[in-house]
Amino acid sequence: MADFFSSRTLRRSLPWLVIVVAALVLPAVLPPFRLNLLGRFLSLGIVALGIDLIWGYTGMLSLGQGIFFALGGYALGMYLQLDSLEPGQLPEFFGLYGVKSLPAFWQPFNSPVFTFFAIWVIPALVAGLLGYLVFRNRIKGVYFSILTQAALLVFFNFFNGQQKLINGTNGLKTDTAQIFGVLVGSDGMQRSLFWITVVLVIGAWFLCRWLTTGRFGDALVAIRDDEPRLRFTGYNPTAYKTVVFAVAGGLAGISGALYTVQSGIVSPQFMAVPFSIEMVIWVAVGGRGTLVGAILGAVLINYAKSLISEQLPETWLFIQGGLFLLVVTALPDGLVGWWRQGGPARLIAMVGLPQRSLTYPALDLDPDVQAEQSQFDAKGSGSQGSKGGAQ
């Protein structure tokens, strides 16, 4: 059994197998409401991939990804508000505040082509500009995390106060809008959006995978492990960090747009501090530096939150805190990292199954795991020898 669990092919492929099976089977068995929830949580996997890219591979912990997530959602939300109107009409909330003409920054969102690019280009540009201003001053570590959260608070308060322009705290509803003559909130459209989300999640994973391999990926890991040494060798970490932060911002914008049309609204609450912190927890629980772990963490944690909150709404915060403590103390590489390091086989060893079944293929395991197995074997042979001598 341990040989089965310690197979490299199994450890590498099982997380993806779970995702593929879920994407193919669940749409056929889940009711529309549950399928809609799954689509939302899969869309959150895209922003989690961006966080894994900048945190797991580059070592930059951003607590402000909600900025870019909300910008993507607002871009699509503004287009849907305008697309559902007759020529010359204004969104309903403008009349509540006495606005007589469409503000200039709304007008480009009449175009679906502009909106398509705005969903990811605007968040990427904002992230790139913010990142460049920060990274050129060599701000990193906890100061970078504090700065991104401060920027999040600035955006949150600004969007909350814009009642006349973007409906402030009320946000923009999207479920009553139409795309190609079909109501966004209808079951048929939501099923289509689910499949679009699946395709974009896979595409985002391939993008992140491509970025983390080769020289660019090596540079990101070098920044995480020893940035001064990389700078000494002639590389410019500022350029790499700015590019990867902009990519993560663009991914967050796509995620926010998909989440907006599946949740039915976009509001400044997307920029709330707890939401951005939750994004980090998804990646930590799923597994930093694994990419697929970010997707699994986002889906599993949010689905667990939904199911538990339906029955015991007051307990989720305690469970979420316990999960984070478990990862910090016992699973620093997250669930996927634990699995890839022979987690099930190590668990079997802890419960004391026969030693013969605990053999790990040496090439499949990390050095730490191999060392532990060698110590286990040495102790076993030593105890047998002492017994033989006594006899």
Side-chain angles (χ1 to χ4, degrees):
M1 182 181 294
D3 290 338
F4 173 77
F5 281 125
S6 59
S7 166
R8 165 177 280 187
T9 302
L10 175 67
R11 291 204 312 272
R12 292 288 176 180
S13 62
L14 186 62
W16 271 114
L17 183 62
V18 170
I19 292 176
V20 171
V21 170
L24 294 177
V25 174
L26 293 180
V29 299
L30 289 179
F33 172 71
R34 296 294 177 189
L35 184 63
N36 173 257
L37 287 180
L38 180 60
R40 293 189 213 178
F41 303 152
L42 274 174
S43 69
L44 294 176
I46 299 179
V47 67
L49 279 170
I51 293 174
D52 196 19
L53 190 64
I54 59 176
W55 183 33
Y57 284 89
T58 321
M60 304 182 297
L61 177 57
S62 171
L63 299 178
Q65 293 304 103
I67 298 172
F68 319 118
F69 184 86
L71 289 175
Y74 269 100
L76 185 55
M78 291 165 67
Y79 167 74
L80 292 176
Q81 287 279 317
L82 298 176
D83 189 58
S84 303
L85 302 176
E86 297 295 330
Q89 283 187 322
L90 295 178
E92 184 178 355
F93 74 89
F94 279 137
L96 300 176
Y97 304 112
V99 178
K100 303 299 183 182
S101 60
L102 192 67
F105 73 92
W106 273 77
Q107 294 176 8
F109 291 96
N110 278 302
S111 168
V113 176
F114 176 86
T115 303
F116 172 80
F117 287 101
I119 285 170
W120 57 274
V121 170
I122 291 178
L125 288 176
V126 173
L129 178 60
L130 177 62
Y132 176 73
L133 294 176
V134 171
F135 301 139
R136 73 171 185 173
N137 292 307
R138 301 191 182 183
I139 298 173
K140 56 185 179 179
V142 67
Y143 298 104
F144 172 74
S145 301
I146 293 173
L147 193 148
T148 54
Q149 190 166 94
L152 179 69
L153 288 170
V154 170
F155 274 83
F156 175 74
N157 290 319
F158 175 77
F159 274 66
N160 260 329
Q162 303 304 312
Q163 293 290 137
K164 291 185 177 181
L165 298 179
I166 53 175
N167 209 20
T169 56
N170 298 318
L172 305 176
K173 288 180 64 65
T174 61
D175 56 348
T176 56
Q178 293 185 355
I179 300 179
F180 305 118
V182 181
L183 195 67
V184 172
S186 65
D187 292 344
M189 178 57 72
Q190 289 299 312
R191 183 173 291 272
S192 299
L193 289 171
F194 170 81
W195 289 114
I196 292 173
T197 302
V198 170
V199 171
L200 290 178
V201 167
I202 295 173
W205 181 86
F206 274 109
L207 173 63
C208 293
R209 182 65 178 169
W210 177 66
L211 289 173
T212 53
T213 54
R215 283 193 169 187
F216 191 87
D218 292 340
L220 298 183
V221 174
I223 291 171
R224 180 192 66 191
D225 294 341
D226 196 340
E227 183 177 339
R229 178 175 293 184
L230 180 70
R231 194 184 300 275
F232 180 76
T233 59
Y235 286 86
N236 181 13
T238 300
Y240 286 94
K241 292 162 77 172
T242 301
V243 169
V244 78
F245 195 58
V247 170
L251 290 175
I254 296 171
S255 176
L258 290 171
Y259 189 83
T260 292
V261 289
Q262 294 179 94
S263 64
I265 191 171
V266 56
S267 75
Q269 288 304 312
F270 287 3
M271 300 182 189
V273 171
F275 188 47
S276 288
I277 294 177
E278 284 181 15
M279 295 176 183
V280 174
I281 295 177
W282 307 335
V283 177
V285 172
R288 281 197 329 166
T290 62
L291 295 182
V292 68
I295 302 172
L296 286 175
V299 174
L300 293 178
I301 291 180
N302 281 285
Y303 229 112
K305 177 182 178 180
S306 175
L307 295 174
I308 293 172
S309 297
E310 291 173 8
Q311 304 297 326
L312 302 168
E314 302 296 330
T315 62
W316 172 248
L317 287 178
F318 297 99
I319 295 174
Q320 180 176 264
L323 278 174
F324 192 68
L325 289 175
L326 175 66
V327 169
V328 170
T329 57
L331 300 173
D333 297 315
L335 295 175
V336 172
W338 171 78
W339 171 264
R340 289 180 176 177
Q341 293 172 8
R346 296 172 72 182
L347 183 62
I348 293 171
M350 291 174 61
V351 300
L353 289 183
Q355 180 181 337
R356 184 178 57 82
S357 65
L358 302 176
T359 303
Y360 299 82
L363 295 177
D364 286 347
L365 296 179
D366 293 344
D368 293 340
V369 181
Q370 295 179 31
E372 290 179 13
Q373 177 62 21
S374 299
Q375 293 175 6
F376 182 87
D377 294 340
K379 289 180 180 179
S381 60
S383 61
Q384 292 175 3
S386 60
K387 288 180 181 180
Q391 291 175 355

